[in-house]
Amino acid sequence: MSLSEPDRELVVAELGREPTPAEAALFENLWSEHCAYRSSRPLLSAFDSEGERVVVGPGDDAAVVEVGDGTYITMGIESHNHPSFVDPYDGAATGVGGIVRDTLSMGAYPIALADSLYFGEFDREHSRYLLEGVVEGISDYGNSIGVPTVAGSAAFHPDYEGNPLVNVACVGLLDDERLVTADAKEPGNKLVLVGNATGRDGLGGASFASEDLSEDAETEDRPAVQVGDPYTEKLLIEASEALLDRDLVEAARDLGAAGLGGASSEMVAKGGLGAEIRLEDVLQREPNMNALEILLAESQERMCYEVRPENVDAVKRVAEKYDLGCSVIGEVTEGNYVCTFEGETVVDVGAEFLGDGAPMNDLPAEEPTQPERDLPDVDLESAVEAVVGHPNTASKRWIYRQYDHEVQVRTATGPGDDAAVLALREAEAGLAISSGAEPNWTTVAPYEGARAVALENATNLAAKGATPLAAVDCLNGGNPEKPDVYGGFKGIVDGLADMCRDLGAPVVGGNVSLYNDSPSGPIPPTPTLAMTGTKEGYDAPPAGLSGEGTLLVVGDDGGNRLGGSEYLAQAGGTDRFPALPENPREVVETLADVADDEATLAVHDVSHGGLAVALAEMVTEDAGADVSVESVAALFAETPGRAVVETTDPDAVRAAFDDVAPVAEIGRADGSGALALSVGGESVRYDAAEIAALRDVLARELD
């Protein structure tokens, strides 16, 4: 990409002259969709981001939320979609590295990762190639830096064939005395780069992420993909802790999109200040680098710190201890953002204009419509096996078994459950984490589907006895210049915002990724949500049956509509999206209370694949169930806000949900180790081994 003519005219009018090549490239990157959110920012005011526990909201490298008295967590999320198509291993790995450094920027120590992944149809060879590369990149990087990957999701949909999505969230931990923000504090303070030396990798990464993928992207765009070094990242994590221990940092920013130019200009702009930077003082690992390359390279594992002059030598000693590069590249000023290279001024612009001067796009949007009901006629056995055995609803153990989810010894409930639960001993609390989206839902009904994504994540937390604390989102869409695509994107923004507001979960930060479009067409509008919740202690009910209780389904069935369901995706047909409850916060809070009741033996949310998949996932070798439901629609509808509860006191559950949501008794758990299902006049039975064989499709095909 190059700076558009209208943008160039704005820059010339502001500067009173033509921009230098370095300035033009800087504006091109920082005014790109990836950095400036030109098509999405007008919509993002729909989100509520304030709350009594919100310490730092949107606009910084990560959000900060209070968990307990003086104990904070950070929350951030990032997309690395285009890079992961071009180079799945490095694209995914550097996505992990970037979101971890965003966490460090706030003064926090990273304690958990969650990855939500979206690929084309699983039976396509290219989809499997991307899946294997992405998972290997995430696992190699996350495992090497000692941060557990505890939650996430994976979905397969034909419209991701030409453009997969890799969305990674990170949670960090800090106390009120270690909080750092990204706004420069005082003229005269030094700007110090710590970490890896700067090379030519990742040049133009921000602008690359702001255009559709071309047919030859895998070869032509490879130079825009960064290359990560997790071992340097681990050293940077520990060095960051040492700098904070000694109170040596005034402000911090990760070098991500647009590299040094992006990080340093944003830092001083947020403080209402300027900078003077000497680009030749940047530590370089390649010869003969020019000013533009030094300014915009997105080499990984680098941090920019604002440091008081008297503390510079101490920062250098910390960097030396951890074998990290350290260079004083300039200072904070009261003037413009100025960069020189070997005595020549190559950039001289107002930092605020550079960061916030991009005009917003006013784009037309077409309102999506929902289909009418046209259901297929499928026999029960075929339907159960098609849905339970599909990669979308099948076990994701092949993915998460490659992640170290126990490092740091906080993981009380790990991946494979409704939500992860971490032990926050500092606050004597449990922190639950859920992350994901469902493209089938938002393809059929962007607004209602996005509301359902938020409700499902909240229900996941509640199934572990936690209530929502806050959320961050990664809003993925196709080319916004297409009215139908922008209409779907607007729908997911409004739907996510409305349901999070209804749940009392402020959306404290996030990321937007547009132009996820390719010769194969646009991706489904995909609102990945990472939500955290809290609870007393960190014990949680299992998702697996005990074999000793009554089985109840709590929550409204939404009219058993099948729109957006895996059942219709496999069997054909159409339907409207399910109706969602009018009191979602009350439903979630009641479920959390029931989950923590001593009479509750197991809890599992009902969502992807409906009741059929929820029950199949609950069966173990030692515990099964005998269940009866009224219809195929009741078995496969995916209305979120529901859960299966195994309890020894069903009357107490009914009393808890009185005037909150319906409660239906569907059968009993037993010691059979099998699932017996009666639906209308048909019956099927599968033992634990048969269910495992159906659900093990990823491992069977990829190992």
Side-chain angles (χ1 to χ4, degrees):
M1 291 178 69
S2 59
L3 192 63
S4 70
E5 191 56 36
D7 286 352
R8 177 177 287 275
E9 291 173 1
L10 280 175
V11 171
V12 169
E14 175 71 18
L15 301 183
R17 57 175 172 79
E18 286 291 325
T20 68
E23 287 170 340
L26 199 54
F27 277 108
E28 172 202 331
N29 278 267
L30 291 180
W31 284 19
S32 66
E33 186 67 50
H34 185 73
C35 291
Y37 290 5
R38 300 175 66 159
S39 301
S40 59
R41 189 180 294 183
L43 306 177
L44 300 182
S45 60
F47 289 106
D48 282 350
S49 58
E50 297 181 351
E52 60 181 29
R53 293 192 178 188
V54 179
V55 179
V56 177
D60 223 308
D61 274 354
V64 182
V65 183
E66 184 172 11
V67 177
D69 187 21
T71 300
Y72 299 162
I73 62 166
T74 60
M75 298 176 63
I77 193 167
E78 179 171 296
S79 63
H80 246 220
N81 302 334
H82 283 28
S84 297
F85 176 80
V86 174
D87 181 346
Y89 180 88
D90 282 313
T94 51
V96 172
I99 197 62
V100 166
R101 291 191 301 279
D102 285 343
T103 302
L104 301 183
S105 297
M106 309 306 297
Y109 195 91
I111 62 170
L113 293 163
D115 58 332
S116 293
L117 313 175
Y118 309 86
F119 302 98
E121 292 279 27
F122 182 71
D123 60 4
R124 297 290 296 271
E125 182 178 350
H126 191 248
S127 298
R128 297 186 188 187
Y129 156 74
L130 293 172
L131 169 64
E132 290 177 312
V134 164
V135 171
E136 185 180 5
I138 292 170
S139 64
D140 282 0
Y141 205 102
N143 295 353
S144 297
I145 63 175
V147 180
T149 301
V150 299
S153 62
F156 302 90
H157 189 286
D159 291 344
Y160 296 118
E161 177 61 33
N163 197 132
L165 303 182
V166 176
N167 298 170
V168 183
C170 185
V171 174
L173 183 66
L174 71 160
D175 59 37
D176 51 2
E177 296 182 356
R178 297 174 75 86
L179 177 62
V180 177
T181 56
D183 52 314
K185 304 298 190 297
E186 187 175 336
N189 285 345
K190 301 299 181 180
L191 295 176
V192 182
L193 279 189
V194 176
N196 255 337
T198 298
R200 291 185 171 92
D201 51 319
L203 274 170
S207 56
F208 162 59
S210 303
E211 58 186 353
D212 295 350
L213 284 170
S214 63
E215 289 185 2
D216 55 2
E218 289 178 285
T219 54
E220 294 297 319
D221 292 319
R222 191 166 292 274
V225 179
Q226 311 92 334
V227 178
D229 177 1
Y231 302 105
T232 298
E233 181 98 346
K234 177 59 175 174
L235 294 172
L236 197 56
I237 292 171
E238 301 309 322
S240 176
E241 285 291 288
L243 294 172
L244 292 165
D245 286 341
R246 300 177 62 181
D247 196 24
L248 299 177
V249 174
E250 306 303 312
R253 196 93 192 192
D254 158 50
L255 270 68
L260 171 61
S264 57
S265 65
E266 289 168 356
M267 178 187 287
V268 296
K270 283 177 68 66
L273 297 167
E276 291 183 0
I277 294 174
R278 298 173 296 277
L279 294 175
E280 67 270 17
D281 290 343
V282 173
L283 185 64
Q284 300 159 47
R285 70 168 182 262
E286 297 186 38
N288 303 317
M289 291 186 69
N290 61 38
L292 189 152
E293 291 170 334
I294 296 168
L295 195 61
L296 290 176
E298 296 183 8
S299 302
Q300 296 293 284
E301 294 86 39
R302 299 180 298 161
M303 297 285 292
C304 182
Y305 294 115
E306 179 192 11
V307 179
R308 293 184 181 276
E310 63 269 24
N311 290 333
V312 168
D313 287 342
V315 171
K316 288 181 177 178
R317 287 193 293 271
V318 170
E320 184 178 4
K321 175 182 177 180
Y322 289 97
D323 199 23
L324 295 169
C326 181
S327 51
V328 180
I329 61 167
E331 49 274 324
V332 179
T333 70
E334 292 181 330
N336 273 357
Y337 177 74
V338 178
C339 299
T340 61
F341 183 64
E342 297 178 346
E344 178 187 355
T345 298
V346 295
V347 175
D348 186 354
V349 300
E352 186 175 353
F353 179 67
L354 183 60
D356 294 322
M360 297 296 104
N361 295 331
D362 183 13
L363 300 173
E366 290 181 5
E367 190 79 18
T369 59
Q370 287 199 45
E372 296 301 320
R373 172 168 272 202
D374 180 15
L375 300 184
D377 184 15
V378 183
D379 72 273
L380 180 61
E381 182 176 1
S382 298
V384 169
E385 294 182 6
V387 172
V388 173
H390 191 272
N392 276 337
T393 57
S395 170
K396 304 304 187 295
R397 186 175 180 276
W398 181 89
I399 296 174
Y400 63 74
R401 76 182 186 192
Q402 300 183 52
Y403 304 149
D404 185 343
H405 54 266
E406 295 183 345
V407 65
Q408 299 191 27
V409 202
R410 290 185 181 275
T411 310
T413 301
D417 212 310
D418 289 325
V421 181
L422 302 184
L424 295 188
R425 302 176 185 90
E426 298 81 354
E428 298 182 349
L431 182 74
I433 304 171
S434 175
S435 176
E438 176 44 73
N440 284 339
W441 297 355
T442 45
T443 296
V444 169
Y447 175 79
E448 290 296 336
R451 291 182 68 228
V453 165
L455 179 56
E456 192 225 345
N457 277 282
T459 307
N460 285 338
L461 304 179
K464 300 295 103 180
T467 52
L469 173 66
V472 290
D473 58 29
C474 193
L475 303 170
N476 305 272
N479 187 332
E481 299 163 41
K482 301 175 180 178
D484 59 332
V485 170
Y486 195 59
F489 182 78
K490 184 177 186 301
I492 64 171
V493 171
D494 290 343
L496 214 57
D498 287 352
M499 181 56 78
C500 285
R501 184 182 304 111
D502 291 344
L503 290 166
V507 180
V508 293
N511 177 74
V512 176
S513 176
L514 294 175
Y515 292 95
N516 291 290
D517 220 313
S518 72
S520 300
I523 64 161
T526 309
T528 299
L529 192 71
M531 184 179 284
T532 57
T534 53
K535 62 177 298 179
E536 291 185 12
Y538 32 87
D539 290 335
L545 296 170
S546 76
E548 300 175 354
T550 300
L551 295 180
L552 306 174
V553 175
V554 300
D556 197 312
D557 62 17
N560 285 329
R561 296 176 187 169
L562 290 165
S565 67
E566 193 62 43
Y567 171 76
L568 289 189
Q570 298 309 308
T574 59
D575 200 359
R576 296 183 65 80
F577 195 76
L580 302 181
E582 296 180 356
N583 58 338
R585 184 170 184 172
E586 195 175 4
V587 171
V588 166
E589 290 175 348
T590 304
L591 177 59
D593 287 341
V594 166
D596 277 338
D597 189 88
E598 62 182 12
T600 297
L601 303 177
V603 182
H604 190 23
D605 92 301
V606 179
S607 54
H608 312 308
L611 192 56
V613 170
L615 291 168
E617 291 175 334
M618 297 180 80
V619 170
T620 70
E621 291 182 355
D622 300 317
D626 191 341
V627 171
S628 177
V629 296
E630 62 186 25
S631 66
V632 167
L635 185 63
F636 292 109
E638 298 185 5
T639 314
R642 298 183 296 155
V644 177
V645 177
E646 182 190 8
T647 178
T648 58
D649 192 352
D651 289 339
V653 176
R654 293 187 184 97
F657 277 94
D658 189 34
D659 293 329
V660 175
V663 176
E665 184 171 336
I666 59 170
R668 286 196 59 82
D670 54 39
S672 65
L675 174 62
L677 272 174
S678 297
V679 182
E682 295 185 85
S683 297
V684 292
R685 185 183 186 278
Y686 298 91
D687 63 30
E690 291 170 318
I691 292 172
L694 284 172
R695 301 194 64 245
D696 211 23
V697 58
L698 267 66
R700 185 169 61 248
E701 297 297 328
L702 296 173
D703 280 345

